């Protein structure tokens, strides 16, 4: 089992937003690997959630789904309605999961999203949010309350070009950032990736191509991504 630095012993802990800089970047994969690794190594609860939306792949990776999504919970909180029943499901690794089926009409009220995530942080050693591609208001709100941000993109020339267009619109954050470039089997444009990371004043980590969650156990995939998880662990110590 890999990922030194992902052992948490007290609450409140950091709130990590994992954000894809283009479609298919792998934010859900990295968010879940980080949470599963931390849950196994930590003595306090770890939570992972997504912001809902039309893809909502996190519940598939976790193998469980909650009775409400973050967007559902945020709507109730914003309307001052009580959150009855359990807010999260628990997967086989002990990760608390707030994720469900794809949603097309519920977007999550801003104040409600902020409140749910801030309350979640207070109760967990680590809270990880799959922030999608910042296409939805709830994605942007989640990033806004995060204490740390991991930007994710494929390690390709076209992905760097698309990522730069996004990051040029986002001012430097006052929180620690990390740039994760996922290999797709082709030669990575190291120079362009380094330039992008330097512009954000963020460390760069190259993530190897990993197998699908349906092909092998999650913790074995985490071992394949050990250096990436170590880098995320280092980020969360800052």
């Amino acid at each position: 089992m890999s990922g030194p630095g992902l052992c948490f012993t007290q609450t409140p802990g950091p709130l990590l937003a994992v954000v894809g800089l283009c479609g298919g970047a792998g934010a859900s994969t990295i968010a879940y690997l980080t949470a599963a690794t931390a849950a196994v190594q930590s003595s306090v609860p770890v939570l992972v959630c997504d912001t809902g939306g039309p893809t909502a792949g996190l519940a598939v990776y976790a193998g469980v789904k909650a009775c409400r999504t973050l967007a559902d919970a945020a709507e109730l909180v914003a309307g001052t309605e009580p959150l009855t029943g359990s807010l999260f499901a628990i997967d086989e690794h002990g990760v608390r999961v707030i994720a469900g089926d794809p949603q097309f009409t519920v977007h999550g009220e801003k104040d409600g999203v902020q409140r749910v995530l801030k309350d979640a942080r207070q109760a967990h050693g680590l809270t990880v949010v799959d922030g999608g591609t910042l296409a939805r208001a709830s994605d942007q709100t989640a990033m806004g309350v995060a204490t740390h941000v991991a930007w994710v993109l494929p390690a390709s020339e076209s992905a760097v070009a698309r990522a730069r267009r996004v990051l040029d619109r986002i001012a430097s954050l006052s929180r620690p950032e990390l740039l994760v470039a996922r290999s797709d089997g082709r030669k990575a444009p190291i120079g362009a990736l380094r330039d992008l990371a330097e512009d954000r004043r963020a460390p760069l980590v190259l993530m190897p191509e990993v197998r699908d969650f349906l092909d092998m156990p999650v913790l074995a995939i985490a071992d394949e991504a050990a250096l990436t998880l170590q880098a995320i662990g280092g980020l969360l110590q800052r």
Side-chain angles (χ1 to χ4, degrees), residues 41-52:
Q41 296 186 357
S42 300
S43 58
V44 290
V46 171
L47 175 73
V48 67
C49 66
D50 61 20
T51 55

Side-chain angles (χ1 to χ4, degrees), residues 74-108:
E75 292 291 311
L76 291 174
V77 167
T80 67
E81 296 184 42
L83 288 175
T84 59
S86 178
L87 183 59
F88 52 80
I90 301 178
D91 78 355
E92 63 176 318
H93 306 296
V95 183
R96 294 180 175 182
V97 179
I98 302 178
D101 294 325
Q103 291 180 303
F104 298 91
T105 58
V106 180
H107 300 287

Side-chain angles (χ1 to χ4, degrees), residues 191-214:
L193 288 167
R194 283 177 176 164
D195 289 344
L196 187 63
E198 287 176 3
D199 288 346
R200 292 303 299 184
R201 298 180 179 177
L204 169 67
V205 59
L206 300 178
M207 180 175 177
E209 190 172 14
V210 298
R211 281 167 280 187
D212 190 88
F213 287 143
L214 299 181

Side-chain angles (χ1 to χ4, degrees):
M1 189 60 226
S2 304
L6 289 173
C7 175
F8 297 89
T9 59
Q10 60 185 14
T11 62
L15 195 164
L16 171 68
V18 184
V19 179
L21 290 171
C22 55
S28 298
T29 297
I30 293 173
Y32 184 63
L33 285 176
T34 301
T37 302
V40 170
Q41 296 186 357
S42 300
S43 58
V44 290
V46 171
L47 175 73
V48 67
C49 66
D50 61 20
T51 55
T55 54
L58 186 64
V60 175
Y61 294 159
V64 297
K65 62 181 181 179
C67 62
R68 298 184 187 89
T69 65
L70 175 62
D72 292 329
E75 292 291 311
L76 291 174
V77 167
T80 67
E81 296 184 42
L83 288 175
T84 59
S86 178
L87 183 59
F88 52 80
I90 301 178
D91 78 355
E92 63 176 318
H93 306 296
V95 183
R96 294 180 175 182
V97 179
I98 302 178
D101 294 325
Q103 291 180 303
F104 298 91
T105 58
V106 180
H107 300 287
E109 202 276 338
K110 179 178 180 179
D111 290 342
V113 171
Q114 290 176 334
R115 180 175 168 185
V116 172
L117 289 178
K118 287 179 180 179
D119 287 350
R121 184 187 171 203
Q122 291 299 312
H124 295 87
L126 173 65
T127 302
V128 183
V129 181
D130 172 4
T133 58
L134 299 182
R136 304 165 70 245
S138 54
D139 299 342
Q140 298 163 30
T141 300
M143 189 189 78
V145 299
T147 61
H148 300 73
V149 177
W151 306 107
V152 186
L153 73 160
S156 68
E157 293 280 3
S158 63
V160 171
R162 287 179 287 165
R164 184 171 290 283
R165 295 181 67 203
V166 174
L167 291 176
D168 282 348
R169 301 290 299 274
I170 300 174
S172 295
L173 305 178
S174 58
R175 296 153 285 167
E177 304 177 43
L178 176 72
L179 190 70
V180 180
R182 292 187 62 203
S183 173
D184 60 1
R186 293 178 291 181
K187 184 178 180 180
I190 300 298
L193 288 167
R194 283 177 176 164
D195 289 344
L196 187 63
E198 287 176 3
D199 288 346
R200 292 303 299 184
R201 298 180 179 177
L204 169 67
V205 59
L206 300 178
M207 180 175 177
E209 190 172 14
V210 298
R211 281 167 280 187
D212 190 88
F213 287 143
L214 299 181
D215 293 338
M216 64 186 300
V218 170
L219 299 186
I221 297 174
D223 281 337
E224 293 185 345
L227 293 179
T228 302
L229 295 174
Q230 289 172 21
I232 291 173
L235 174 77
L236 295 173
Q237 304 307 312
R238 294 168 54 192

